Amino acid sequence: MQIFQKVEGIRSALHEAQLKGKKIGFVPTMGNLHQGHLELIKLAQKTNDIVVCSIFVNGLQFGLHEDWDQYPRTFEEDCKKLADVSCDMLFHPDENQMYPNGLDSQTRVICSSMTDYLCGASRPGHFEGVTTVVSKLLNIIKPHELVLGRKDYQQMAILYRMIEDLCFPVRIIEAEIHREVDGLAMSSRNVYLSALERQNASQLYKSLSWVAGKIRLGDRNFIALEKEAADQIKKAGFQPDYISICNSRTLEMATIDDCDIAVLGAMYSSAARLIDNISLH
Ligand code: AMP
């Protein structure tokens, strides 16, 4: 696997590949890679000649009191995992490469819908940081396919919109959520869970599944379902942030005749904020 730290280095390597007509798949990450990330690489390999992964813990998408400084950075292990699945290229820029004029004076990309509710409500500015860094990465890598995990459902929906609105010539490929045996969605932030919290953390998935099951059986009392699921999470010892039954595309509150529904949830443990979701058709 080739590793690049500089924008110019990866650009010229990819330029050569593009001249040869190679198809490029791109998997952006913040590192501390787990099996879920590696499944994205494998998915990208199915339809692309060259797969590029990026590892960049993007300061622009973290709030002042969030975990940017503690976010687990495991570069050596990540490189080994990527090499084991035959990833072709890794882009690992530092902040100076990505934000040469400083974070504060960085030109921003703002998606004018879907960013201030659900996760956006408790993480103001987060999605602006995501759309800005992903725009930059797309301009650097120029991939044909961008592989995203459904785990970050709202992020994916916003990136669909950004790509359409700004005419980025890239196609999004969606990857299923990869879970631990008990159903907990794999996440780099699961390392923040205490042993006791880890035992109960699959409650978020269990409650989302309970809501999805009720909707499948015809229950359309969405507000009551959201409330009951939040109560289940409280009883398991976590603080629910939101449980929301949404239209899959707009992420607005679902109406009773919506056919494509996403049930999204977020909860706090003592040191982590975990998210998950289930789609229903
Ligand atoms: P992150 O490193 O957490 O920013 O995630 C990088 C990419 O991996 C995003 O597209 C995530 O949605 C995806 N991802 C993270 N965890 C999972 C998972 N458990 N299953 C599927 N995709 C995931």
Side-chain angles (χ1 to χ4, degrees), residues 20-64:
K20 288 183 194 148
K22 302 282 185 200
K23 192 173 164 198
I24 296 162
F26 177 45
V27 180
T29 80
M30 297 205 298
N32 190 236
L33 302 180
H34 51 65
Q35 195 56 37
H37 293 115
L38 301 179
E39 295 300 325
L40 269 62
I41 304 283
K42 290 183 196 167
L43 193 58
Q45 286 168 334
K46 287 189 182 162
T47 46
N48 291 281
D49 301 310
I50 294 181
V51 172
V52 182
C53 176
S54 67
I55 295 182
F56 179 61
V57 186
N58 176 33
L60 207 59
Q61 71 188 64
F62 286 75
L64 264 187

Side-chain angles (χ1 to χ4, degrees), residues 7-196:
V7 172
E8 281 320 313
I10 191 144
R11 268 203 166 137
S12 60
L14 285 169
H15 183 62
E16 277 178 35
Q18 266 147 348
L19 287 179
K20 288 183 194 148
K22 302 282 185 200
K23 192 173 164 198
I24 296 162
F26 177 45
V27 180
T29 80
M30 297 205 298
N32 190 236
L33 302 180
H34 51 65
Q35 195 56 37
H37 293 115
L38 301 179
E39 295 300 325
L40 269 62
I41 304 283
K42 290 183 196 167
L43 193 58
Q45 286 168 334
K46 287 189 182 162
T47 46
N48 291 281
D49 301 310
I50 294 181
V51 172
V52 182
C53 176
S54 67
I55 295 182
F56 179 61
V57 186
N58 176 33
L60 207 59
Q61 71 188 64
F62 286 75
L64 264 187
H65 304 293
E66 292 187 349
D67 57 340
W68 180 82
D69 48 347
Q70 301 149 39
Y71 197 85
R73 288 160 172 85
T74 49
F75 186 65
E76 299 302 321
E77 292 94 317
D78 291 348
C79 286
K80 189 169 176 322
K81 289 177 185 171
L82 289 171
D84 285 347
V85 294
S86 307
C87 181
D88 300 291
M89 295 185 186
L90 169 60
F91 182 45
H92 180 53
D94 64 15
E95 198 156 292
N96 210 25
Q97 279 295 301
M98 289 306 286
Y99 300 119
N101 298 311
L103 278 189
D104 291 341
S105 54
Q106 169 63 43
T107 303
R108 313 284 176 115
V109 175
I110 299 170
C111 182
S112 53
S113 60
M114 290 190 283
T115 54
D116 55 1
Y117 47 87
L118 303 170
C119 288
S122 47
R123 304 190 70 189
H126 168 66
F127 289 114
E128 184 178 319
V130 172
T131 44
T132 300
V133 78
V134 173
S135 301
K136 293 188 66 126
L137 289 167
L138 290 175
N139 283 330
I140 295 166
I141 310 289
K142 296 193 188 341
H144 299 86
E145 292 186 345
L146 170 66
V147 182
L148 300 172
R150 289 205 181 119
K151 155 92 178 2
D152 296 82
Y153 194 93
Q154 186 176 12
Q155 167 174 289
M156 191 177 73
I158 290 168
L159 290 175
Y160 265 111
R161 177 63 71 82
M162 180 193 86
I163 279 165
E164 185 181 4
D165 284 353
L166 297 183
C167 306
F168 278 102
V170 66
R171 182 167 162 243
I172 290 182
I173 305 291
E174 298 182 20
E176 292 297 337
I177 303 177
H178 207 73
R179 300 182 179 282
E180 305 286 357
V181 179
D182 66 350
L184 174 66
M186 287 191 180
S187 165
S188 305
R189 289 192 167 96
N190 291 349
V191 294
Y192 298 146
L193 294 166
S194 69
L196 179 64

